[in-house]
Amino acid sequence: MKIEHIAMYVSDLEAARDFFVKYLGASSNSGYHNKTTDFRSYFLSFDDGARLEIMTRPALESCENAVARTGYIHIAFSLGSKEKVDELTARLKADGYKVLSGPRTTGDGYYESCIIGIEGNQIELTI
């Protein structure tokens, strides 16, 4: 068994797609639009076969994303090396994204950083 994809609602679908393509190397399909409900989505694919569906629709409710809360908390991306984690963390910080932690080696041995990415969602960058 495997996870087929992860999905997230976003307010700005195009900005979310651009973020994942620009910073994390995603490839996007051409999108889907249900004209009856005005639901729109893109499937973003990554090199290892993982997929992320980003979606939007009218009248989404937005709430504050507390850093420590129940539920899904972050998406982790393996970049392949400490240098790549350092480089992408620095690039995201320079582009105005908040770095929550790292880059650092955690108590359980992971080298990682965590940033607040598109629309307040946490993204973990690791080797």
Side-chain angles (χ1 to χ4, degrees), residues 15-127:
R17 181 177 72 159
D18 292 346
F19 175 88
F20 286 103
V21 169
K22 177 179 180 177
Y23 294 109
L24 297 160
S27 298
S28 178
N29 71 353
S30 60
Y32 168 73
H33 180 212
N34 181 317
K35 293 178 182 168
T36 303
T37 63
D38 205 22
F39 170 88
R40 296 172 185 267
S41 70
Y42 289 110
F43 271 97
L44 306 177
S45 299
F46 298 89
D47 289 342
D48 72 346
R51 296 192 319 152
L52 173 65
E53 182 181 15
I54 52 174
M55 313 170 297
T56 196
R57 60 182 234 184
L60 286 175
E61 287 188 35
S62 185
C63 58
E64 184 178 336
N65 287 341
V67 172
R69 65 179 190 272
T70 58
Y72 297 108
I73 196 67
H74 68 255
I75 299 173
F77 289 88
S78 174
L79 305 181
S81 72
K82 282 185 172 185
E83 294 77 22
K84 288 181 180 179
V85 171
D86 293 346
E87 290 168 10
L88 185 52
T89 302
R91 182 176 169 205
L92 287 160
K93 183 176 183 178
D95 287 352
Y97 292 95
K98 181 179 179 181
V99 177
L100 288 178
S101 64
R104 66 191 177 101
T105 301
T106 63
D108 56 356
Y110 284 90
Y111 188 78
E112 66 182 37
S113 67
C114 189
I115 61 122
I116 300 291
I118 195 74
E119 297 190 18
N121 293 289
Q122 291 183 50
I123 296 177
E124 187 178 282
L125 307 172
T126 188
I127 296 175

